[in-house]
Amino acid sequence: MSFVWLASYPKSGNTWMRLMLQSLMQGGEPVDLSRPITPGLPLRSRDTLGRLLGADCGELSAEEIDRLRPWTYIKAAGLLPGPSFHKTHERWRRTAWNEPILPPEASCGAVYILRDPRDIALSLAHYTAVTVDEAIAVMADADHTLAEAGDRYCVLYRQPLGTWSQHVLSWLEDADPPPLVLRYEDMIDDPLAALTGVCAHIGLTAPAAALRAATRSCAFDVLRRAEQDHGFTEAVPGRAFFRRGLAGGWRDTLSPAQRQRIEDDHRAVMSRFGYLPPSR
């Protein structure tokens, strides 16, 4: 079969949607946060590449891994019993050999989750233990990359993000297959409609009762309590992953100067998706 890519800039609601989908696959039952959300091959690691190649990949450079990654996904997709949901924070891009890093041959759909960058700055600062000003700078850094700890011996693949604006546009203008665009703010307003829309986009049929149960099982306050009681495998130790689950929290937290910096950095894309009035 193949993969459904759940893509977003970090701290945009990707994990929340994955949990709703996982709950839906379980008929709407709560998800155990102490276990991995998506079981199976960890597609972002050198170990997986080595297992599929039958070779040690520890000394491959980032460029060599980029060359192999499309093949990795095609090979892994052939081992799947059905569609598999996988998150990515990487911007959509091509390798130096002009191949899509996430090949359409291994993909049966994509969803891009979009969030107001003013709220992302606050959530990112909390989650990565940096200042809000540092988070704002990261979101404006065209060279920002995850897992960039040297080309060799890093467990995870290098994942270029670019700026928040570059990230959004890479998925919305270049990605193949084109994704469903889902705003985090709309997920908060109507999670049932958001989940139903995702299922329709990827061709997943589910009973209405299961859809309703999945959104109830993954309500933000339910997830927050579950994390407090049992922990969460994807959380940074000592910091809550499910913190507030609000839209517009920037209004009473960002300083005027911080807000202005974000808006100046990303005005065109923010205007395009309703976070600012249209540019004149």
Side-chain angles (χ1 to χ4, degrees), residues 7-254:
S8 71
Y9 195 86
K11 307 310 297 178
S12 296
N14 192 313
T15 297
W16 185 22
M17 177 52 69
R18 285 189 295 133
L19 286 166
M20 285 195 283
L21 286 165
Q22 182 69 22
S23 174
L24 183 63
M25 297 299 97
Q26 300 170 185
E29 292 297 313
V31 177
D32 183 356
L33 298 184
S34 66
R35 303 181 67 180
I37 299 175
T38 308
L41 292 172
L43 292 179
R44 297 175 294 155
S45 78
R46 289 172 181 259
D47 287 344
T48 297
L49 180 59
R51 288 165 60 188
L52 292 170
L53 282 173
D56 182 1
C57 298
E59 294 193 30
L60 293 179
S61 69
E63 289 73 21
E64 289 168 332
I65 284 187
D66 270 3
R67 181 71 184 269
L68 291 168
R69 278 180 61 189
W71 174 87
T72 301
Y73 298 132
I74 293 170
K75 176 76 171 178
L79 303 175
L80 294 172
S84 180
F85 303 103
H86 280 273
K87 85 167 182 180
T88 179
H89 287 318
E90 191 168 7
R91 72 170 184 264
W92 199 93
R93 62 189 179 95
R94 293 179 177 271
T95 69
W97 297 267
N98 201 36
E99 297 175 313
I101 200 77
L102 303 176
E105 303 96 307
S107 310
C108 59
V111 177
Y112 188 84
I113 303 175
L114 187 68
R115 188 183 186 188
D116 190 325
R118 294 167 294 196
D119 278 330
I120 291 178
L122 296 174
S123 188
L124 192 64
H126 169 80
Y127 188 66
T128 58
V130 301
T131 68
V132 173
D133 287 325
E134 288 172 322
I136 292 170
V138 162
M139 294 170 65
D141 181 1
D143 295 322
H144 182 50
T145 302
L146 297 179
E148 197 181 22
D151 282 350
R152 301 173 189 272
Y153 302 108
C154 184
V155 173
L156 296 180
Y157 299 153
R158 176 184 62 176
Q159 301 164 61
L161 271 64
T163 71
W164 176 83
S165 293
Q166 289 172 333
H167 195 282
V168 172
L169 294 178
S170 75
W171 276 93
L172 273 55
E173 295 185 350
D174 300 328
D176 181 13
L180 170 71
V181 180
L182 180 62
R183 297 197 332 159
Y184 178 80
E185 295 77 16
D186 297 328
M187 288 173 60
I188 289 176
D189 286 345
D190 194 338
L192 177 58
L195 181 59
T196 301
V198 168
C199 291
H201 178 72
I202 63 178
L204 178 63
T205 302
L211 288 162
R212 291 192 296 270
T215 57
R216 288 195 299 269
S217 294
C218 296
F220 219 85
D221 59 340
V222 173
L223 295 175
R224 186 187 298 111
R225 287 197 301 271
E227 181 183 11
Q228 291 169 350
D229 293 342
H230 307 292
F232 181 35
T233 56
E234 296 189 12
V236 174
R239 289 197 291 276
F241 191 96
F242 300 103
R243 191 169 60 100
R244 298 179 70 189
L246 300 176
W250 62 267
R251 290 186 173 87
D252 55 16
T253 307
L254 290 180

